[in-house]
Amino acid sequence: MADSRERSKTGEDEPQGAVGGDDVNDERIMEQGAIVLRGYVIERISAENPGRHLAPEDLGGRPNEQEDHQVKNMVQQLLLIADDMNRNAELQHLINRVQVNCAQDVFFSVAREIFADGINWGRVVSLFHLAYKLIYKALTQNHLESIKMVINWVIQFIRENVSTWIRQQGGWEAVISTVSHWRTVSLVAAVAFVTVMVYWRKTR
């Protein structure tokens, strides 16, 4: 489902990608989504703190899962979308107020607000970005038990709310063809995420 509000602001529709077929099933989407999420978190933490090494196994993954060229490409495209969000000072300030040990219902409430007006790749990246920030805090505050929990929350939310949309786009690979579009509207996604975090903070 495209976000009509964002389309009206940007004056263009989001590229829809290929229509999902039998080869783009929910099981594959969830498996690939977990791998891409772990890759996103690993790359962001490496950029934030080059001295801290995080392996896929630390996030519940397999040792060599990030070596696949296609996975690397998808992760890089998501990182490009996230660049402008990461430069937004207000966004970073609000994210930094999120507690590592937040309850699952709080996390899901925030996630639902992110996608309240529709689904697009920018909002998927916002969800990944929230997970990355919580995991980084868990690492630095020695709450290691929270790391896989956050990963599982994201995967569960995607399974229940986003996987059908991703399948309709043609799978996670579709993000590669839409990254140029999202470089032009990532600020809109950042503003939407700031709004969500304000809402979350007020309801704490």
Side-chain angles (χ1 to χ4, degrees):
M1 177 173 58
D3 185 344
S4 59
R5 295 186 185 180
E6 288 189 10
R7 283 184 297 173
S8 63
K9 290 180 181 179
T10 61
E12 58 180 316
D13 290 341
E14 176 176 337
Q16 292 301 300
V19 176
D22 292 338
D23 59 332
V24 186
N25 55 54
D26 287 340
E27 182 178 349
R28 180 170 180 265
I29 286 172
M30 297 314 305
E31 180 181 1
Q32 199 168 47
I35 293 172
V36 172
L37 170 60
R38 287 190 288 265
Y40 179 91
V41 171
I42 289 170
E43 290 297 323
R44 291 233 67 106
I45 289 178
S46 177
E48 183 96 7
N49 187 348
R52 183 179 291 275
H53 176 71
L54 193 64
E57 306 94 291
D58 299 323
L59 304 177
R62 299 185 298 273
N64 299 318
E65 66 180 23
Q66 299 299 320
E67 298 304 313
D68 182 87
H69 176 73
Q70 189 175 49
V71 170
K72 289 182 178 180
N73 202 359
M74 288 185 287
V75 169
Q76 288 305 312
Q77 304 315 306
L78 293 175
L79 290 169
L80 286 175
I81 295 173
D83 277 348
D84 289 334
M85 286 189 288
N86 203 41
R87 297 190 190 103
N88 186 293
E90 184 178 3
L91 172 64
Q92 297 308 311
H93 174 71
L94 291 171
I95 290 177
N96 287 336
R97 297 179 66 92
V98 181
Q99 299 299 312
V100 174
N101 58 348
C102 68
Q104 181 177 357
D105 60 339
V106 173
F107 181 91
F108 271 66
S109 177
V110 173
R112 282 191 291 269
E113 285 297 320
I114 290 175
F115 294 94
D117 294 327
I119 305 174
N120 52 48
W121 289 115
R123 293 170 189 265
V124 172
V125 171
S126 294
L127 181 65
F128 278 23
H129 202 67
L130 174 61
Y132 144 67
K133 283 294 188 179
L134 290 176
I135 289 171
Y136 185 72
K137 287 182 180 181
L139 285 170
T140 57
Q141 298 175 19
N142 202 31
H143 292 293
L144 303 183
E145 71 283 353
S146 299
I147 294 176
K148 291 182 182 179
M149 179 178 66
V150 171
I151 292 286
N152 290 336
W153 287 352
V154 174
I155 297 306
Q156 181 181 342
F157 183 85
I158 290 175
R159 182 187 302 278
E160 296 175 357
N161 300 276
V162 188
S163 63
T164 298
W165 180 86
I166 294 175
R167 174 162 44 80
Q168 290 170 348
Q169 309 314 301
W172 289 93
E173 296 88 345
V175 72
I176 297 172
S177 62
T178 60
V179 67
S180 59
H181 170 84
W182 275 106
R183 289 291 286 173
T184 66
V185 299
S186 57
L187 181 59
V188 175
V191 171
F193 194 77
V194 167
T195 302
V196 168
M197 297 309 298
V198 170
Y199 167 84
W200 181 85
R201 184 173 59 180
K202 288 181 178 179
T203 57
R204 286 286 288 169

